[in-house]
Amino acid sequence: VITNNITMATASVSAAASNICIPAALTLVGRTSFRTFRNVWMLEELGVPYHQLPVSPWSAESKRYHPLGKVPSLAVKFISSKDAAASKNFHMYESVAINTYLGDVYRYGTTRLPVQHDGNDNSRGTLHLHNYLVPMAGTPERALYEQWVLTAATELDSQGLWIHRKHQALGKVFGHIPEAVQHAQEHFNKVVNQILLPHLLETPNHPYLLGCHFGAADILWVHCLDWAESIGWGTIWTQDTTNSTESGVSNQNNAKAIQALQAYLKRCRSRTAYLKTIAKREAEKQTHLDTMRSKI
């Protein structure tokens, strides 16, 4: 039985925690309107300070951090340039990788944990989990986390939403291919019908994908479902149109599955960090629009 209880040997946990370097500064690159939304939401959930460069893909600034000029990217800085830890300064990209890193590095909060010693000279870390956003490596929960985020990234996003973005929204750049877009939507619906809906039905007492605790997997899936709604692909859960023969649940359970999905989305979208991210995205949109108008 998979639970959210993480058990490890005390010495092993202490060693892992002692190897974590807490960044001195984080810079998130990319406007919140893009996949950067996932990372802003994650950072808001963690409550850690960060600076954001609200730049667009393929801009000169975005190319400083991503060889293809894509967003988001995250620049991580430790202490100062005079400190030995400065050699660990780095930047990374891919929204899922960024959130996984953030969940790992801030698992115990924003400061290093003291290590206590007992009378037998055995190290005992006073470890208290700060969050459950990303499960600990090597646990069954982490395996399922990887499964959920990779399914969203490879099935919902790259084979579904990105195809629409590439061959419809950006058709003038990449070419309009209606057949590809139609197939992408069908594939997206299939993933929701055969993976997400059955899971929600099978785990009615779990408020989130991995159980009792909200996590980074929920951030990714909700963002993908939000994106789908914004392009008119959300009819599976926004309307009573769930009679697809490809559904992984029986017809009599369709209504229950849709209600479960709607409740799940409402639960995630009511979170303070999500609402802050929405507000930031809308403010950025207005600023971007005002800037574009001023150039006319």
Side-chain angles (χ1 to χ4, degrees):
V1 178
I2 302 302
T3 69
N4 279 302
N5 296 322
I6 299 176
T7 57
M8 290 185 67
T10 302
S12 296
V13 177
S14 300
S18 66
N19 289 328
I20 295 176
C21 293
I22 302 299
L26 299 172
T27 300
L28 184 62
V29 181
R31 286 167 46 205
T32 312
S33 297
F34 300 102
R35 292 181 181 88
T36 317
F37 185 100
R38 303 164 179 173
N39 307 127
V40 173
W41 186 357
M42 182 72 170
L43 287 162
E44 293 294 341
E45 289 283 351
L46 289 168
V48 299
Y50 66 97
H51 174 64
Q52 186 174 0
L53 297 177
V55 300
S56 298
W58 308 313
S59 63
E61 192 69 19
S62 66
K63 290 178 181 178
R64 288 183 54 197
Y65 299 94
H66 193 301
L68 300 179
K70 295 184 176 183
V71 297
S73 293
L74 181 71
V76 183
K77 184 178 181 180
F78 297 93
I79 316 299
S80 69
S81 59
K82 296 180 181 180
D83 193 279
S87 62
K88 297 181 181 180
N89 292 347
F90 71 100
H91 59 262
M92 62 184 298
Y93 42 84
E94 294 297 335
S95 61
V96 177
I98 290 171
N99 277 0
T100 300
Y101 167 73
L102 292 172
D104 281 339
V105 79
Y106 292 110
R107 185 180 316 285
Y108 304 103
T110 57
T111 58
R112 291 179 181 273
L113 295 174
V115 176
Q116 298 179 338
H117 298 273
D118 61 18
N120 297 317
D121 291 330
N122 294 319
S123 296
R124 294 182 180 276
T126 55
L127 304 181
H128 301 283
L129 287 180
H130 180 69
N131 68 80
Y132 293 86
L133 291 168
V134 175
M136 190 175 294
T139 62
E141 291 84 3
R142 180 57 169 259
L144 292 177
Y145 163 80
E146 301 283 359
Q147 170 191 282
W148 278 106
V149 297
L150 288 172
T151 298
T154 60
E155 303 291 348
L156 293 182
D157 191 333
S158 64
Q159 293 193 63
L161 298 165
W162 174 240
I163 298 300
H164 174 277
R165 177 75 174 163
K166 188 174 184 179
H167 294 301
Q168 182 163 320
L170 297 176
K172 291 184 178 180
V173 178
F174 297 104
H176 289 280
I177 308 179
E179 296 83 0
V181 175
Q182 178 61 33
H183 176 75
Q185 182 178 2
E186 292 172 357
H187 181 74
F188 184 96
N189 291 343
K190 182 177 181 180
V191 174
V192 172
N193 277 325
Q194 296 193 3
I195 294 180
L196 182 58
L197 294 185
H199 174 77
L200 295 175
L201 278 180
E202 293 166 4
T203 57
N205 296 323
H206 290 181
Y208 302 108
L209 292 179
L210 291 180
C212 298
H213 299 288
F214 176 83
D218 298 296
I219 289 176
L220 184 59
W221 274 78
V222 172
H223 177 259
C224 286
L225 295 174
D226 281 0
W227 185 351
E229 284 189 27
S230 73
I231 59 176
W233 285 12
T235 55
I236 290 179
W237 60 92
T238 58
Q239 299 178 26
D240 187 16
T241 56
T242 58
N243 294 320
S244 170
T245 57
E246 295 183 346
S247 177
V249 297
S250 60
N251 288 334
Q252 60 265 35
N253 284 330
N254 279 345
K256 290 183 179 179
I258 297 307
Q259 290 172 1
L261 177 52
Q262 291 170 341
Y264 167 72
L265 287 171
K266 182 177 181 180
R267 198 155 44 243
C268 293
R269 290 168 175 170
S270 66
R271 297 182 68 83
T272 300
Y274 175 85
L275 297 175
K276 286 182 178 180
T277 307
I278 291 290
K280 173 171 278 197
R281 182 184 67 186
E282 297 310 306
E284 283 179 13
K285 283 183 179 179
Q286 187 59 52
T287 300
H288 182 70
L289 183 59
D290 292 342
T291 300
M292 297 300 292
R293 286 174 176 169
S294 67
K295 295 180 179 180
I296 297 176

